[in-house]
Amino acid sequence: MPDHSAITYRPYSPADAPAIRTLINDAFGVRRRFQEPALTALLSMDLEQSLYDATFTRVATRNNEVVGIIIGKIQGEEKLDARLKRAGAIATNIAQALPYLFAQRTGVRDWFREQRSYARAAKMSRNRNTQLNNEIILFIVDSSTRGQGVGKRLFNDYLAELRRHKLSDFFLYTDSECTWQFYEARGMRRVGVSSYASLIDDSPREIESYVYAGSV
């Protein structure tokens, strides 16, 4: 049965990192591209990169376990502390992963295909004069809490921060394998789209990359 214990919300803490790495892995299937020991280093790098550019974080916890997170960037707001330390951590993560990536080059090629697809989607959105300034960088809710309002609360907390700074426009990247319907249900518009053939399954499949834009 679902656990309906009380959910609490607070800013990110470094102690949350292991749980958030697991959320990233589960949500985005990173383990389908990479294996240990590169996997943990790349998950850590992904989280540190998200935090490096961030100005806003909110973590959802239940029974002291992380069940959701949103990381965002808001124009004009001061970046989170410890950016120099995070830059060093990113460099360390890259160095830890590099010796193993040649053997996992299919995953590397797939990742580059994904990044190029997102770049094409972003270019399309800019050609439509979409402002790509305020960004939801990372947004994950654990499957055990879906339908309990956790995602809605985290999303609304970010929007409230935008309003506090008298800003309205924001955007995010997602793809056809994520719950993009959540964003459309909240009035966001798909302003950029591209696609790539994923290499990591037995038979290649087409994945669409999206840019969504919204306003408050």
Side-chain angles (χ1 to χ4, degrees), residues 5-113:
S5 303
I7 308 283
T8 59
Y9 299 86
R10 58 167 174 76
Y12 169 83
S13 165
D16 299 326
I20 295 171
R21 288 196 296 266
T22 298
L23 287 178
I24 293 171
N25 200 8
D26 291 343
F28 304 123
V30 185
R31 66 172 64 87
R32 292 163 58 200
R33 283 181 175 148
F34 302 106
Q35 293 79 46
E36 295 293 6
L39 177 60
T40 296
L42 293 171
L43 289 169
S44 297
M45 182 185 72
D46 191 18
L47 175 58
E48 293 296 340
Q49 284 182 323
S50 297
L51 292 165
Y52 183 82
D53 284 329
T55 64
F56 173 85
T57 65
R58 188 74 77 242
V59 171
T61 67
R62 182 180 60 199
N63 299 327
N64 295 317
E65 294 184 2
V66 176
V67 294
I69 183 168
I70 191 165
I71 297 175
K73 177 174 65 175
I74 295 177
Q75 190 177 27
E77 192 169 356
E78 188 174 349
K79 299 286 178 67
L80 299 179
D81 293 338
R83 295 189 81 221
L84 185 60
K85 183 178 180 180
R86 289 199 174 93
I90 292 166
T92 299
N93 296 149
I94 292 171
Q96 290 170 338
L98 272 177
Y100 307 99
L101 292 183
F102 180 76
Q104 300 177 37
R105 54 192 176 275
T106 299
V108 174
R109 288 200 301 270
D110 196 69
W111 180 84
F112 274 110
R113 285 188 175 205

Side-chain angles (χ1 to χ4, degrees), residues 73 121-123 125-126 129-135 170-173 191 211-213:
K73 177 174 65 175
K123 182 178 180 180
S125 65
R126 291 190 183 94
N129 296 318
T130 305
Q131 295 296 314
L132 303 182
N133 296 319
N134 306 303
E135 180 183 2
F170 67 103
F171 78 101
L172 56 85
Y173 295 99
V191 294
V211 178
Y212 273 88

Side-chain angles (χ1 to χ4, degrees), residues 122-193:
K123 182 178 180 180
M124 178 186 292
S125 65
R126 291 190 183 94
N127 288 342
R128 294 175 173 175
N129 296 318
T130 305
Q131 295 296 314
L132 303 182
N133 296 319
N134 306 303
E135 180 183 2
I136 295 179
I137 301 170
L138 181 68
F139 181 31
I140 309 173
V141 175
D142 186 79
S143 59
S144 67
T145 65
R146 286 175 190 159
Q148 299 178 36
V150 176
K152 181 178 179 181
R153 166 65 186 270
L154 291 171
F155 189 81
N156 287 342
D157 282 356
Y158 175 78
L159 300 189
E161 190 71 6
L162 276 177
R163 292 188 190 97
R164 191 172 74 84
H165 288 271
K166 296 179 170 43
L167 297 169
S168 60
D169 296 332
F170 67 103
F171 78 101
L172 56 85
Y173 295 99
T174 189
D175 64 40
S176 55
E177 301 209 324
C178 294
T179 52
W180 51 266
Q181 298 90 341
F182 176 93
Y183 306 116
E184 293 194 355
R186 282 151 185 82
M188 297 189 73
R189 299 171 293 108
R190 187 183 297 176
V191 294
V193 60

